Every structure is written in structure tokens, then in C-alpha cells.
Amino acid sequence: MDQPISKSSSNAIPGNTVPYLPTECLRCIFSFIEDDDIQTLHSILLLNRTWCKNTVPILWKKPFTLSPSIDLLSLDKIIPIYLSYLPEDFLDIPEMQNIKHCVYKRSTIFDYASFLKELDYKKLYEVISEWVFVNKIFEIKIDDIDIDMARLSFKESEGYIEDVQDLVDNKWGSHELDNSILGEQDDDDNSEDELVSPIEYNDGDFDDYDHDDYFEEEMDGSIGSWSDPEYYNDDIESIEIPFDNSTERKKLMITKKICLYLMNNCKNFEKLILDTRGWTRALSIASREYISLPCFPGATECLSKITEFVLNGEFDKAEIFNTMTTYCKNIRSLMVFDTYRSSPNSLANLISAQNGIEKFIWYSGGEDSSPVLWSLASQSESLVNVQLMKAYTRDYNAFEALATCKKLENLKISECQLTSLHLGMLANVNFPHLKSIEFNDINVYEDELDDEYDPPSLELASLIHNANTHLQEIKLNLELHYYPGIIETIANNCPNLITFSGNVNNDEQFTELIKLLTCCKKLENLIICGNYWNNLFPIDDMLPQIGHLIPESLKYLDLSKWTFSGESLNQFLINCKTKLKFMSWHCYFNSDEHKAAIDAYATEKGIKVQDFHTETHNRGYGWQRAVCHVTVYF
């Protein structure tokens, strides 16, 4: 870049100016900029026409799937621009009269909406809701001053586009704007951002989803609580909802109209998130006709190339699954979080229609999930990540389909009421690439039911034994007394283990844990947790000896299921050779002695305590002692 231009080259370039970088080079450079770094991207597009042409598609590619740090108030400035593309007949209907005064009036150089590749419907709805609230769109106007104030509030949003518009009109006015600069995009623009195999989704796996949201939604008073059997027996679609004249309906009308425009003008959608999690039950039901984007006109072409799809909400999803089956063939990441009326057969058909699903997450709505599990056999050559939540199966053989997925790297099964008959299909299977196993079962069984419970203890041990050295992460949120010897099995077969999480709550399991710490010298994360924060396991006498065994590689130590004194903690830290980055535990009364032990440890290791946080629990039921949950960041 800094080399001088040769004489022959300078003669060919008027004014000895360095030529523009090719578009391919610019795209490569811009790929190192985070998509949510709005300030940097906005500065770049003001440089010249070529940089502007290559930056605008990045800025408008996924405004509704950006980092949570991008607040709604910033995003709602783009709503007037989106509204400017809508037909006049929509803006003329009585409910939308106030919107006409807020639509962006100037014609734009770019069709900004056409650059959209990723859409989170719920985020779009929230942005529109914020825009409606801030600008009092559906409030009764007392006089014309209110309208003038609404216009004034959009001055900043217009400025965003006018920065580019003014540069073209004035600064670049002496240059002809030909098609190669600001015209239609070249055919190769469609391959502008080659999609990497989807690995993460902000709310993609169960750890990122707060499952409490499924149970905290506002209930209709006539139905009762979630625990009321009548809640499940009533026909949810027959609930009468006063929705016609509500503000929610008007906001959904705007959202739907924008989505209809997108379905007919965006040809390269890559990611679609339809998620009403957190909405009231009534709103989720009533919104079905507004949120069913895959069934909208134009969706056949717009969504035919999507590679990531997320669907969640309290409505029947069969129509969406059936419609997508006809034109979606290349989904790589499929996540379905169902809270009501699962459509397992329709979902199974959608899965079978794909050419290579790599990540599948299924939170069942309560119906038999056997058809869904059987359909996974159709993706046996591509599936890498499988997570099943509440996927009850009446067909014990359904897990046989999962056994065919030899490329599996991550397997998570949570609250699926597994028995030895279910997991028996996986007991003798060797998954040569399996790196992570997670099994969760929050059910606490009564003593009189122990004889009836058939836990897959031998089958799980066999699965771990077969995967052996490949396993790097094992999480077992189980009642481990139903799985005797499972920790020892891990210790004997998984020397490359990096993360272990388990509910260690008795002396026998503690002995097995000591062996695991002795054998697994690459351990970085140790988590001792349980289903509930109470019923803590006191380990004052045993904790110090663990300190000698903690591998130097360990950085994250969560002992939330355990409680111990400050003196015991101090001795443990004296014996501990590693420099921890995080530690957590429970203790009774105050934590002053524990704080002193932590400070002494930090001083001895030459590290700094960034945060020492305590949270007190009231145990209730006559308990007189307070319980503190302590978290420490170094």
C-alpha cells in the first residue's frame, strides 16, 4: 500500500492518484469489523461512493439480530424509513392516519430494506412498540402541536440517511453515479457474506434461554394457573380475546405490513427468528396470523435460502412447518421451542426435507416426540449438535435414529423422562466425534417410587466409556445416587475432560470426585450444583484435601451445592496451586471469614478480587439461619 507508483503506472493514472481498492478487497477489510459496531461502519460509509456502496448493505443486513447492547431507541429511527416503502392505501386506513406524518419523506438512494438478511420478528415488534410509544402514535392528538412534535422527533432519524444523501448531492455531485457504483448490485453480491456453519445463537441453546419465562407469562383470569389441569384441557384457540381495537393489534398490523414488503423484496434471507416467548398467552395466540411469515406471499422465494430458523410461541405451528417443507431445503440450524400444541409430525416432515441440518434444538410442547426423533435419521450425515428438552417418547426405539448420527459432537437431553429402555439404543454406539454430553433430570423421586424408576445408569456409563478420550465436557444435573459409579467411570475414561458438572452430595460421590480430580489434569471448569439451592452438602472436613488435588489448569470453580466455613475455605485456598478466575459457594450467616480467606488468597497469588458478591436467601419454614450465596471474580 505504501509503495511508490512506478513511472509507467503513473502515466496511466490521471493526476498520479492511487486507484480505488477493488470491491473484493473492501469486503475482506470490512469483514473484520463487528456487525454491531454501528459507529465505525457509519464513519466508513461517509468516505466515498465505493466505500458507501459496500458498507450500507452491512449496516442494514441484520439490525434486528444485533447485540443486545444496541438499545431499542437507537433502532426505532429506522422505522420511518421502512414505512416509506409501504403502499399509500395502508397508510390511508383510519387506524394508521397518525403514521403518515412520521414517514420518511425523501426518496433514498438505496432500497435499504432489501439488504435485510436476518430478521427477529419479536425484536422488530419491540422496536415498533418503542417507536409508537416515544412518538405517541396512537394517542389522541389535542392540537397540531402534537403532530409537529412527532415530526420533530424524527429529525435525527432523517439525518442518518441525509448524511449519505447530501454527500451524493453535493460532495460527489461532480461525479456521474453509474450503475457500477451506486446502481443495482452485481449478481455476485448475493455471495457477499458466505455463511459459516451455525454454531451459536444468542438465545440458541437451553442455557441461554430462561425457562422461567415459559411460566411467568400473564394468565387469562378465566383459565387459571399453569398447574390447573383445566388450563391444558380447554381449547386454547376458543379463548375470546378483545383484540380488534387494541394498540397491540395496530402495532402488529404495522409489523405485518413491513414483513409483507420484506417477503416480496428481500431475496437472500439467511436467518429467521419467530419467537413470542415472554408475550402474554392471549397476545401470542392472537398474533399467529401476523407472525406466520413463512406463509406470507413472496416467502417461497424470500425464505427458500434460509440456513437458520427459530420458532417459538403458544400457537399451532403445523401450517408454518407444512408450508416451509415445500420450499426450504437448506436449513442448517433448526430450533423449535414449543410451549403449546406441538406439531411433531409436521416438524418431522420439515426435518426430513432438509439437505443437511447441523444443529437441532427441540423443546417439546408435551406431545409424543417419537416422529421428530425418527426424522433425525434423515440428517445422520450432517447432525453435529442435538439438544432435546421435554421430548417425551412412547416409542423406546426412537433413539435408534439418533444412534445413526456418527458426526455428533454435542448431545444434550433434559427432562425427557428417560429409562434404560430409551437410552439402551445408544449404549453400544460409538460416537467418534462426541465432545460434550449433558443430561438433566429435575424430578426428585420419593422413596416408595424408587423401585418403579428405571434410570439409564448402565447405559449412560456405557455411552461415556465408548466416547472416552474424545469427551471434553460432561454435565450431569441428575440425582447421582441413581447412577452409582458414574463419576468414577468418567475419571477412568475421560483424561481430556475440560468441564465437569455434577450433583455431588454424599460421601461416596465425594470419593469418586477425588479420583476424577486426580485423573483429569486438563480440567478448567468444575461445577458442583443441584436442582435446588437448599439441601446443601456440608464439606468442612473434606474441602481442604481437595485443594491439593485441584489441577493447575482449573479456572472456574462453582461449588454452589456445597457449604463450608471460612476456616475450611482458607485452608483449601492455601493448598490450591491454581490461580482461579471465578469461585462460588453457599454459606450460613455472614461471609466475613470467607471474604478474609479470599483476600489472603488473592494477595498470595498476586491477583486482584474484581467482585465479591453475596446474595442472602430466606429459607423460611421455621429456619432461623440465613443462607448466603457468594460469587467471586478475580
Side-chain angles (χ1 to χ4, degrees):
M1 294 285 296
D2 295 331
Q3 293 181 352
I5 300 175
S6 65
K7 184 176 181 180
S8 59
S9 299
S10 64
N11 291 335
I13 303 173
N16 292 339
T17 57
V18 179
Y20 285 129
L21 286 172
T23 297
E24 291 77 9
C25 292
L26 288 176
R27 290 176 181 170
C28 181
I29 294 171
F30 296 160
S31 68
F32 290 95
I33 303 174
E34 296 292 336
D35 289 339
D36 56 359
D37 189 353
I38 306 299
Q39 184 175 0
T40 299
L41 290 169
H42 186 255
S43 299
I44 288 174
L45 70 80
L46 299 178
L47 184 62
N48 58 43
R49 291 177 295 175
T50 305
W51 286 51
C52 176
K53 183 230 177 185
N54 286 279
T55 307
V56 166
I58 300 175
L59 270 169
W60 290 81
K61 180 175 65 174
K62 55 174 188 178
F64 305 109
T65 54
L66 289 174
S67 167
S69 61
I70 307 298
D71 59 45
L72 296 179
L73 196 57
S74 298
L75 288 177
D76 75 3
K77 297 179 177 62
I78 70 176
I79 298 304
I81 299 167
Y82 271 44
L83 292 175
S84 69
Y85 301 119
L86 302 187
E88 286 293 329
D89 59 349
F90 173 73
L91 300 176
D92 286 338
I93 64 177
E95 296 97 324
M96 301 296 148
Q97 284 298 299
N98 291 340
I99 294 180
K100 295 187 67 174
H101 302 289
C102 302
V103 174
Y104 183 76
K105 298 299 191 299
R106 294 183 60 180
S107 60
T108 60
I109 302 170
F110 301 99
D111 181 2
Y112 295 97
S114 67
F115 296 128
L116 193 69
K117 292 180 179 292
E118 299 183 5
L119 176 62
D120 183 336
Y121 182 93
K122 184 179 178 182
K123 188 66 173 289
L124 172 61
Y125 175 82
E126 291 173 349
V127 171
I128 290 174
S129 298
E130 182 71 14
W131 174 75
V132 166
F133 172 76
V134 170
N135 297 284
K136 304 178 181 179
I137 298 299
F138 297 122
E139 292 186 14
I140 298 177
K141 306 297 183 181
I142 298 177
D143 50 44
D144 291 339
I145 295 179
D146 289 330
I147 296 177
D148 291 336
M149 290 299 293
R151 289 174 177 170
L152 182 62
S153 67
F154 289 98
K155 184 176 181 180
E156 185 176 355
S157 65
E158 294 187 18
Y160 177 79
I161 298 302
E162 288 171 357
D163 282 344
V164 180
Q165 191 80 39
D166 291 341
L167 281 174
V168 176
D169 293 343
N170 301 322
K171 182 177 179 181
W172 303 338
S174 59
H175 301 281
E176 182 179 355
L177 302 180
D178 55 61
N179 290 336
S180 65
I181 302 298
L182 289 175
E184 296 294 325
Q185 283 193 297
D186 299 330
D187 292 338
D188 63 350
D189 283 357
N190 291 338
S191 59
E192 170 181 332
D193 297 303
E194 184 178 353
L195 184 67
V196 179
S197 174
I199 300 299
E200 297 181 352
Y201 161 62
N202 289 344
D203 295 324
D205 65 25
F206 301 128
D207 293 330
D208 294 331
Y209 270 76
D210 183 358
H211 298 303
D212 290 342
D213 286 348
Y214 287 101
F215 306 103
E216 291 178 354
E217 298 176 355
E218 181 180 340
M219 298 299 303
D220 186 283
S222 62
I223 303 302
S225 66
W226 287 93
S227 59
D228 186 352
E230 294 184 3
Y231 170 73
Y232 297 98
N233 296 331
D234 285 346
D235 183 358
I236 198 169
E237 304 294 348
S238 68
I239 298 174
E240 184 177 349
I241 304 169
F243 190 66
D244 287 345
N245 297 316
S246 66
T247 301
E248 284 76 13
R249 178 177 178 271
K250 296 174 184 177
K251 292 186 292 187
L252 285 170
M253 288 174 64
I254 298 172
T255 309
K256 180 177 181 178
K257 204 65 178 180
I258 290 177
C259 289
L260 283 168
Y261 177 85
L262 296 174
M263 293 299 102
N264 287 280
N265 291 273
C266 299
K267 308 303 180 185
N268 298 296
F269 255 53
E270 296 173 352
K271 183 175 182 179
L272 179 62
I273 304 173
L274 305 178
D275 182 3
T276 62
R277 185 174 58 96
W279 286 10
T280 63
R281 182 174 173 229
L283 179 58
S284 184
I285 299 167
S287 65
R288 183 176 63 176
E289 66 173 288
Y290 300 92
I291 199 173
S292 300
L293 273 64
C295 306
F296 287 2
T300 301
E301 184 175 358
C302 175
L303 300 180
S304 62
K305 298 179 181 178
I306 64 169
T307 56
E308 296 186 63
F309 181 51
V310 179
L311 180 62
N312 170 59
E314 284 200 64
F315 51 85
D316 191 344
K317 303 168 182 62
E319 183 182 9
I320 292 178
F321 292 142
N322 292 334
T323 304
M324 293 183 69
T325 300
T326 63
Y327 61 80
C328 285
K329 308 297 180 183
N330 298 301
I331 297 177
R332 297 288 178 266
S333 176
L334 177 60
M335 304 178 223
V336 180
F337 298 85
D338 217 331
T339 57
Y340 165 78
R341 189 171 287 180
S342 305
S343 307
N345 289 295
S346 299
L347 175 58
N349 292 335
L350 177 62
I351 293 172
S352 299
Q354 304 312 306
N355 293 324
I357 296 178
E358 297 172 3
K359 179 178 182 178
F360 176 64
I361 297 178
W362 168 232
Y363 188 113
S364 173
E367 296 186 9
D368 182 17
S369 300
S370 301
V372 176
L373 265 66
W374 277 117
S375 69
L376 298 182
S378 66
Q379 308 300 316
S380 60
E381 296 300 318
S382 58
L383 268 174
V384 173
N385 188 334
V386 173
Q387 300 182 31
L388 305 174
M389 183 79 168
K390 292 189 176 180
Y392 311 113
T393 55
R394 298 190 181 98
D395 185 354
Y396 295 131
N397 297 322
F399 278 86
E400 184 179 335
L402 196 59
T404 65
C405 303
K406 298 300 184 180
K407 293 185 178 180
L408 203 63
E409 295 181 7
N410 304 288
L411 175 62
K412 177 173 182 176
I413 300 179
S414 183
E415 300 179 61
C416 293
Q417 296 185 0
L418 293 184
T419 67
S420 60
L421 295 176
H422 290 100
L423 211 58
M425 298 299 165
L426 304 180
N428 298 317
V429 179
N430 180 21
F431 295 103
H433 305 287
L434 192 61
K435 297 178 181 179
S436 175
I437 293 178
E438 182 171 352
F439 282 82
N440 298 320
D441 187 358
I442 65 172
N443 294 312
V444 178
Y445 298 93
E446 302 293 339
D447 292 340
E448 59 268 20
L449 298 179
D450 283 355
D451 293 337
E452 300 178 12
Y453 181 49
D454 180 25
S457 55
L458 296 178
E459 291 73 18
L460 179 57
S462 179
L463 179 63
I464 293 172
H465 177 270
N466 293 336
N468 54 62
T469 58
H470 299 289
L471 282 171
Q472 298 179 5
E473 179 180 72
I474 299 178
K475 295 182 177 181
L476 305 176
N477 189 10
L478 305 167
E479 292 295 330
L480 291 181
H481 67 271
Y482 291 113
Y483 298 80
I486 193 70
I487 301 177
E488 185 173 359
T489 299
I490 297 171
N492 292 333
N493 294 279
C494 306
N496 296 317
L497 196 66
I498 294 176
T499 298
F500 172 75
S501 175
N503 184 6
V504 178
N505 59 11
N506 62 42
D507 294 343
E508 182 179 350
Q509 294 163 11
F510 187 86
T511 302
E512 292 184 53
L513 179 63
I514 290 178
K515 185 170 184 178
L516 184 142
L517 294 175
T518 303
C519 297
C520 301
K521 294 301 184 182
K522 298 181 179 180
L523 203 64
E524 297 180 7
N525 309 293
L526 177 60
I527 304 165
I528 308 299
C529 62
N531 301 324
Y532 307 100
W533 62 264
N534 53 1
N535 299 324
L536 304 175
F537 182 46
I539 58 163
D540 284 300
D541 297 335
M542 297 173 281
L543 185 62
Q545 64 175 303
I546 291 183
H548 292 290
L549 303 174
I550 292 292
E552 294 187 24
S553 57
L554 196 75
K555 302 301 178 186
Y556 186 98
L557 183 59
D558 184 349
L559 306 179
S560 296
K561 189 64 177 179
W562 291 352
T563 181
F564 39 81
S565 66
E567 181 182 353
S568 179
L569 174 62
N570 183 59
Q571 191 59 50
F572 163 81
L573 293 173
I574 291 175
N575 297 337
C576 185
K577 297 179 181 180
T578 187
K579 292 183 178 180
L580 295 170
K581 293 184 177 180
F582 173 86
M583 189 173 180
S584 176
W585 68 89
H586 277 94
C587 63
Y588 294 107
F589 298 109
N590 64 67
S591 55
D592 293 342
E593 292 183 0
H594 300 80
K595 178 66 166 61
I598 290 292
D599 289 339
Y601 166 77
T603 301
E604 194 273 331
K605 297 296 183 183
I607 56 180
K608 181 180 179 181
V609 178
Q610 293 185 347
D611 183 42
F612 185 96
H613 178 74
T614 61
E615 181 179 357
T616 302
H617 299 286
N618 184 4
R619 302 194 66 171
Y621 300 106
W623 287 90
Q624 300 298 317
R625 295 188 295 176
V627 179
C628 295
H629 182 221
V630 184
T631 55
V632 184
Y633 290 90
F634 297 97

